[in-house]
Every structure is written in C-alpha cells, then in structure tokens.
Amino acid sequence: MAVRSAILNVMVGAAEKASRTMKRDFGEVENLQVSRKGTNDFVTIADTRTEKTLQYELAKARPAFGFIMEESGVIEGEDPNRTWIIDPIDGTTNFIHGIPHFAISIALQEHGELVAALVYAPVFDEMFLAEKGQGATYNNRRLRVSSRTELSDCVLATGIPHLGRGDHEAYLPQLTSVMEATAGVRRFGSAALDLAYVAAGRFDGFWETGLQSWDVAAGILLVREAGGFVTEINGKGEALGGESILAANPRLHQPLSNLLTGKKTERLRAR
Ligand code: 2AM
Ligand code: CA
C-alpha cells in the first residue's frame, strides 16, 4: 500500500492530532501516581478530550458520517450508511497505571460492513491500518497473520475477566485448555492492540468475552485483511456485536475454537 487512500489519510491525521494531547496526558498520569487521588477522574478527562479531538477532525473531513463512541455513545449522521466506530483510549486501565500499552482505535463502517481501520499505539508510535480488499499495514509495511500451525508453538492473547465484569467461572476452563496446549498466554489489556498483534503475526490468536463494538471494530478488519479469521468463540457468528471474539490465523482458528468450547481434537485427547 504505497499510496495511502484519502480515507486512511483522514483517519491517520485525526489519530496523530489526538495522540499529541494523549501523550501529554499520559505523562501527567505519572505525576498523579504519586498522589493517587484523582487519577481516575483525570483519565476520564483525557479519554473524553481524545474522543472530542477525533470526532472534530473526522467530522471536519467527512461531515455527514455518524459516530459510535465509547464515551459519547451514538451520534447519528446525515448519511445513515456511514459510521465511525471509535475507542479513544483502548487499554484505559493500563493508562491509569502508567503502563504505555494503550491505543486509539478507529473503524469506518459502510452499509454495515467494516471498510477501514486504524489502531495506533502513540507511545510506541505503532500504526496499524487496513482497508477492505486492500490488505493491512504496520508503519507502511504489509501485514500478514502468523503461519504457525502447531498449537504447541503458539502464543495466544486473551482478556481475563476482573472485578465486577465477566463470567469468571466460564473463563477458567477456557484458560486451562489453552495453557495446556500452547507455548504461552499473554494478557496485555487492550483488545484493539491484541487484534493488531494477531494481524502482525506477533500473537497467533486472541480470545475474549464481553467486549463492545468500539473495542474490536478496527482490530477485526486488521486481522481479516492480514489473512486471519475472526468469529465468536464457537467458530461461527459475527464477532462485531457478538458475545465473544476469537481471532486467529486460518489454520489455527478451528482447533482453537474446539479447544475453547471443550471439543477436544483426537490428537489432543491422545496425548
Ligand atoms: P478499555 O480499556 O477501553 O476499557 C481488556 O480486557 C479490554 O476490555 C480492553 O480493550 C478494555 O477496553 C475492554 N473493557 C474494559 N472494560 C470493559 C467493559 N465494561 N465493557 C467492554 N469492554 C471493556
Ligand atoms: Ca476499549
């Protein structure tokens, strides 16, 4: 993708603008860590500020498009068929704790289909982009999902349910199956980046339950355009708006779905 399309340029411009204040705000969090008090309020302000900048920049370039955003909810556009799906800071808990693993996530949906995606980790200056039918890129280089075929070689990402969230009992058997069969599990705390890392072949797969559309919309297109499969954990269903998500390279997707749903393959059972 040597020449970036107009729509990706708009998205990159908005993310770069928003990331400048976001990085400044992240620097402030480190100062606030000392006092603790007020960190959460400050991060809510940073979240909202980032979202407003993204909304302003995107609306300036495409005034008719609608929005679905984590902080502000749904804003209908003049054009009912084009909607931005935005998470201003995915990995908020990391941000609050001064951990630099967080990202801006922007997806464009046209007639119900994801057509453009951006996931940008500002502290690392890592830009993941995709456009439907055009492939995915990382800092201008083409992305491809991993080619590993043996679960025993694979590193998987996940999100672990925590206090007040998710079905803890249902999660544990999933984790048990995966940790027994693979080279390792990582829990980094940003679904958007987990999916971008699957697209980049860093992770061989990712699963989580109970996410919202803004957490995963851009990441889903990134994985698909990098040659991966994304469904619900049962191997079917639409990941966007679904209860759960499973992303992986095409060879591992079904075996992982079997593993997570308790349908052990013959080979695994034989071990
Ligand atoms: P956030 O950082 O924007 O909140 C980590 O497991 C992932 O879950 C992150 O992408 C995080 O997004 C998301 N997450 C955290 N709380 C959530 C909630 N209540 N609903 C949906 N997603 C959530
Ligand atoms: Ca999120």
Side-chain angles (χ1 to χ4, degrees):
M1 231 192 283
V3 181
R4 220 183 252 162
S5 71
I7 201 73
L8 287 182
N9 275 333
V10 165
M11 292 159 72
V12 169
E16 283 177 344
K17 192 94 179 245
S19 73
R20 284 200 277 277
T21 32
M22 197 173 168
K23 275 193 285 193
R24 228 175 20 240
D25 288 339
F26 182 64
E28 280 299 309
V29 167
E30 284 162 350
N31 300 334
L32 287 165
Q33 293 290 337
V34 184
S35 69
R36 283 275 160 205
K37 209 163 153 266
T39 310
N40 285 19
D41 289 348
F42 179 78
V43 172
T44 307
I45 293 165
D47 237 329
T48 309
R49 183 163 32 217
T50 307
E51 191 168 284
K52 287 280 168 238
T53 307
L54 292 172
Q55 185 190 351
Y56 177 83
E57 293 297 320
L58 293 171
K60 198 166 69 179
R62 294 292 185 276
F65 293 11
F67 290 89
I68 299 173
M69 296 182 283
E70 183 171 19
E71 304 300 321
S72 323
V74 176
I75 296 171
E76 307 244 337
E78 234 171 82
D79 180 346
N81 298 313
R82 288 177 180 78
T83 307
W84 299 110
I85 306 178
I86 296 177
D87 193 343
I89 307 180
D90 187 61
T92 318
T93 306
N94 286 340
F95 194 102
I96 291 168
H97 284 252
I99 299 168
H101 190 84
F102 54 84
I104 292 172
S105 175
I106 306 172
L108 177 62
Q109 201 176 33
E110 262 181 26
H111 297 278
E113 251 192 309
L114 295 168
V115 296
L118 170 152
V119 173
Y120 180 55
V123 179
F124 302 107
D125 194 22
E126 291 202 311
M127 180 73 77
F128 301 89
L129 297 171
E131 206 169 351
K132 191 172 167 52
Q134 302 297 316
T137 62
Y138 161 73
N139 289 359
N140 293 323
R141 289 196 302 274
R142 189 163 282 277
L143 281 187
R144 183 84 205 148
V145 291
S146 85
S147 54
R148 290 186 191 88
T149 55
E150 299 296 324
L151 280 171
S152 56
D153 295 332
C154 288
V155 172
L156 277 272
T158 187
I160 301 176
H162 46 82
L163 179 68
R165 207 184 140 222
D167 185 338
H168 298 196
E169 267 179 46
Y171 180 75
L172 283 174
Q174 296 177 353
L175 182 61
T176 305
S177 317
V178 174
M179 72 194 209
E180 282 173 350
T182 61
V185 179
R186 302 288 182 268
R187 199 281 193 244
F188 286 178
S190 159
L193 281 173
D194 289 338
L195 287 162
Y197 281 22
V198 172
R202 296 174 181 178
F203 291 141
D204 302 291
F206 163 68
W207 89 97
E208 188 161 346
T209 307
L211 294 170
Q212 300 289 335
S213 62
W214 47 76
D215 300 318
V216 295
I220 290 172
L221 187 64
L222 278 168
V223 172
R224 289 190 176 144
E225 287 299 320
F229 289 177
V230 192
T231 62
E232 291 198 75
I233 284 173
N234 65 11
K236 301 184 278 267
E238 179 44 61
L240 189 67
E243 266 292 293
S244 68
I245 185 165
L246 169 63
N249 82 36
R251 292 286 296 276
L252 289 172
H253 191 268
Q254 190 59 49
L256 275 171
S257 170
N258 292 345
L259 201 58
L260 289 163
T261 53
K263 283 186 244 150
K264 294 206 171 163
T265 62
E266 287 307 314
R267 200 149 61 94
L268 282 165
R269 206 184 296 144
R271 283 199 318 163

